[in-house]
């Protein structure tokens, strides 16, 4: 913190420009929501919607934010009385707004019993999650629980829980024992059928833990799992993010985040204990979020991954920089129009091509410095729902998947660890060791790389890995990327 600069908090809020102060009076909204995962996306998305809903319609819907492991943000937010700011930024300018939706913060790893007590508190009626794909511990192909040793210990011993499955199971058991009223568990992660997956996680975890049948029956009767689709580009905070917040607020905000102007939240409206008036805050309430999920995962996240892998290989630091590559934008438009749009039925009155055009306009926002390497992280977890489902649905309909297979080839070349100019590329992925071992066991040729990585059944379903047309297309793209690099490959393809 700069010498002489005070830190954001209740005591310094009066120094913040009036237009940037919270929409609700901080500390006055009782808790009704527990959120697992305190990352930047939640703070710039669900917290913003919830504060706007309470400001519009009232209600006891303050958020208790829970960090499963990291202590840094919990400490910072506690020091700032739960306050933080979101800077909405575009080429036209920016606006910084302090958010006062938090009613408290907790650190699960150091005080799991407090989190379990929250989940059993009858005043808590909604639990939301942004814990990333990895925390669900579900095999992407089979959908079955694949718990690591910590999850096993959480579900089969009396130790304090330290994992998401452990916290949820222990909290639901305590809530059932207290008959504390119905609850909605709401996944806000970028997963297809995220509500269904969360239900599967809970049901399989309960079975793994061998809990009493009466508790299982209580969960079945009293807990719902609304599906959602969430959308807002929220890059990782940097020193520049903190500096912009300090300039706008007149005080230092060490939990500041930045985001694009666009935001969307589609929610299946199944909340047995009630919910905030998110519709008044601009959310879309629906009976089925499935088509919205597929739209976003394939036409936004899939395109995001494509830009990240191709951009990183070409030495571009940010997604906006990547889109400035000659011929990349036309190729991404063809990916949307020719592959994604043909792979599924979109929501009523939504054009996939128009949606894709809007996505590319958003990605080109020069004020959002979303690093290609950040988007490229955890590719083995992201690739199935973002790209492989598009390919699978196209192949099931007897169609080829020219542009989607380019994305797969770009990922395969990326995980080899070298950009076109020879610079090292990091492999930040939960399957990093498996990927490296598979590559080492095969020839370092396009065909060898394809053989190695298509053999990762954790990533590629058997029917896709055995599809000769897909393998031929991916190998062809890999050959071009190896021989010519990204720029020339795009020029020849566009």
């Amino acid at each position: 913190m700069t010498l002489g600069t005070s830190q954001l908090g209740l005591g310094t809020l009066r120094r913040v420009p009036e237009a940037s102060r919270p929409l609700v009076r901080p500390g006055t909204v009782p808790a009704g929501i527990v959120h697992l995962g305190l990352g930047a996306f939640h703070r710039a998305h669900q917290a913003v919607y919830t504060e706007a809903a309470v400001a519009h319609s009232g209600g006891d819907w303050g958020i208790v934010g829970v960090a499963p492991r990291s202590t840094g943000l919990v400490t910072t937010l506690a020091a700032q009385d739960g306050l933080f700011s979101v800077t909405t930024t575009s080429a036209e300018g920016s606006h910084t707004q302090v958010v006062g939706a938090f009613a408290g913060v907790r650190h699960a790893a150091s005080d799991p019993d407090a989190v379990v007590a929250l989940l059993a508190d009858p005043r808590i009626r909604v639990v939301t999650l942004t814990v990333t794909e990895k925390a669900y511990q579900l095999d992407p192909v089979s959908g079955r629980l694949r718990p690591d040793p910590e999850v096993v210990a959480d579900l089969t011993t009396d130790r304090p829980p330290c994992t998401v499955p452990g916290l949820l199971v222990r909290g639901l058991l305590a809530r059932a024992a207290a008959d504390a009223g119905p609850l909605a568990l709401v996944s806000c992660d970028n997963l297809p059928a995220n509500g269904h997956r969360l239900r599967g996680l809970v049901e399989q975890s309960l079975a793994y833990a061998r809990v009493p049948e009466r508790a299982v029956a209580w969960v079945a009767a009293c807990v719902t799992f609304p599906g959602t689709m969430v959308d807002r580009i929220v890059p990782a905070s940097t020193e520049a993010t903190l500096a912009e917040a300090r300039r706008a607020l007149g005080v230092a905000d060490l939990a500041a985040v930045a985001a694009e102007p666009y935001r969307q939240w589609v929610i299946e409206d199944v909340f047995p204990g009630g919910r905030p008036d998110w519709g008044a805050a601009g959310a879309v309430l629906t009976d089925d979020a499935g088509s919205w999920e597929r739209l976003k995962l394939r036409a936004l996240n899939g395109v995001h991954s494509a830009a990240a892998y191709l951009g990183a290989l070409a030495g571009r630091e940010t997604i906006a920089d990547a889109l400035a590559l000659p011929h990349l934008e036309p190729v991404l438009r063809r990916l949307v129009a020719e592959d994604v749009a043909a792979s599924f039925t979109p929501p009523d009155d939504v054009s996939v091509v128009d949606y894709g055009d809007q996505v590319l306009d958003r990605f080109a926002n020069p004020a959002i410095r979303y690093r290609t390497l950040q988007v490229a992280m955890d590719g083995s977890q992201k690739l199935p729902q973002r790209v492989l489902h598009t390919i699978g649905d196209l192949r099931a309909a007897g169609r080829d998947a020219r542009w989607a297979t380019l994305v797969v080839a770009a990922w395969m070349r990326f995980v080899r660890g070298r950009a076109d100019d020879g610079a090292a590329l990091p492999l930040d992925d939960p399957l990093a060791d498996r990927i490296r071992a598979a590559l080492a066991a095969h020839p370092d040729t396009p065909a060898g790389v394809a053989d190695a990585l298509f053999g990762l059944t954790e990533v590629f379903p058997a029917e896709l890995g055995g599809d000769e047309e897909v393998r031929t297309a991916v190998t062809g793209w890999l050959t071009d990327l190896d021989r010519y690099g990204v720029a020339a490959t795009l020029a020849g393809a566009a």
Side-chain angles (χ1 to χ4, degrees), residues 56-150:
H56 184 275
S57 305
D60 296 345
W61 295 111
I63 301 169
V64 179
V66 177
R69 295 188 180 274
S70 176
T71 61
L73 194 56
V74 173
T75 301
T76 297
L77 285 169
Q80 295 185 176
D81 301 310
L83 300 177
F84 63 92
S85 66
V86 178
T87 297
T88 301
T89 183
S90 68
E92 288 71 41
S94 63
H95 172 70
T96 302
Q97 184 78 42
V98 176
V99 178
F102 278 10
V105 290
R106 298 286 188 276
H107 180 234
S110 61
D111 195 359
D113 290 341
V115 179
V116 170
L118 275 171
L119 297 177
D121 189 329
R123 293 171 295 183
I124 300 300
R125 289 150 287 162
V126 175
V127 175
T128 54
L129 299 90
T130 50
V131 291
T132 77
E133 295 92 336
K134 290 178 286 188
Y136 286 80
Q137 294 292 329
L138 296 177
D139 185 274
V141 177
S142 70
R144 302 301 299 171
L145 186 69
R146 52 173 191 185
D148 64 21
E150 286 197 338

Side-chain angles (χ1 to χ4, degrees), residues 229-436:
M229 185 276 274
V230 296
D231 189 6
R232 192 175 198 184
I233 298 174
V234 185
S237 295
T238 65
E239 287 300 322
T241 309
L242 305 187
E244 174 65 23
R246 187 184 306 118
R247 285 192 294 270
L249 301 177
V251 296
D253 174 13
L254 302 185
V257 295
E260 66 168 336
Y262 181 93
R263 58 184 169 94
Q264 188 176 47
W265 195 6
V266 179
I267 312 167
E268 291 175 353
D269 197 7
V270 191
F271 290 83
R275 58 163 173 77
D277 189 2
W278 285 316
V284 176
L285 301 169
T286 181
D287 294 332
D288 181 10
S291 60
W292 291 96
E293 293 168 2
R294 287 185 287 277
L295 175 69
K296 196 255 181 157
L297 284 165
R298 300 184 188 194
L300 185 144
N301 296 123
V303 172
H304 216 196
S305 290
Y309 296 127
L310 292 165
L313 289 168
R316 300 302 174 104
E317 181 182 2
T318 70
I319 296 295
D321 293 338
L323 284 179
L325 279 168
H327 309 295
L328 178 57
E329 187 172 328
V331 164
L332 295 179
R333 291 187 190 279
R334 295 187 71 177
L335 167 65
V336 172
E338 297 175 23
D339 287 2
V340 173
S343 72
F344 77 108
T345 301
D348 291 342
D349 301 320
V350 172
S351 162
V352 178
V353 172
D354 290 347
Y355 179 89
D357 289 343
Q358 182 186 48
V359 162
L360 289 171
D361 288 343
R362 292 165 57 194
F363 287 173
N365 181 351
I368 298 294
R369 294 190 59 77
Y370 215 148
R371 296 175 63 242
T372 53
L373 295 181
Q374 181 187 353
V375 180
M377 289 171 55
D378 301 335
S380 69
Q381 308 293 297
K382 297 174 179 176
L383 203 67
Q385 58 264 19
R386 295 184 176 200
V387 181
L388 301 187
H389 289 175
T390 294
I391 297 174
D393 286 344
L394 288 171
R395 297 298 297 138
R399 302 175 64 110
D400 63 18
R402 182 185 183 197
W403 306 106
T405 52
L406 168 60
V407 186
V408 175
W411 174 74
M412 289 184 173
R413 180 164 165 77
F414 176 88
V415 301
R416 291 166 73 189
R418 292 289 171 185
D420 289 348
D421 63 0
L425 294 172
L427 180 54
D428 191 342
D429 192 287
L431 294 184
D433 290 342
R434 290 272 290 115
I435 291 168
R436 292 190 182 102

Side-chain angles (χ1 to χ4, degrees), residues 416-482:
R416 291 166 73 189
R418 292 289 171 185
D420 289 348
D421 63 0
L425 294 172
L427 180 54
D428 191 342
D429 192 287
L431 294 184
D433 290 342
R434 290 272 290 115
I435 291 168
R436 292 190 182 102
L439 290 171
H442 288 76
D444 189 24
T445 63
V449 169
D451 285 343
L453 298 177
F454 273 120
L456 296 175
T457 56
E458 304 96 322
V459 182
F460 295 96
E463 63 272 17
L464 199 61
D467 188 321
E468 287 303 320
E469 288 194 31
V470 172
R471 293 172 74 99
T472 297
V474 170
T475 303
W477 285 120
L478 271 170
T479 300
D480 288 349
L481 290 170
D482 271 6

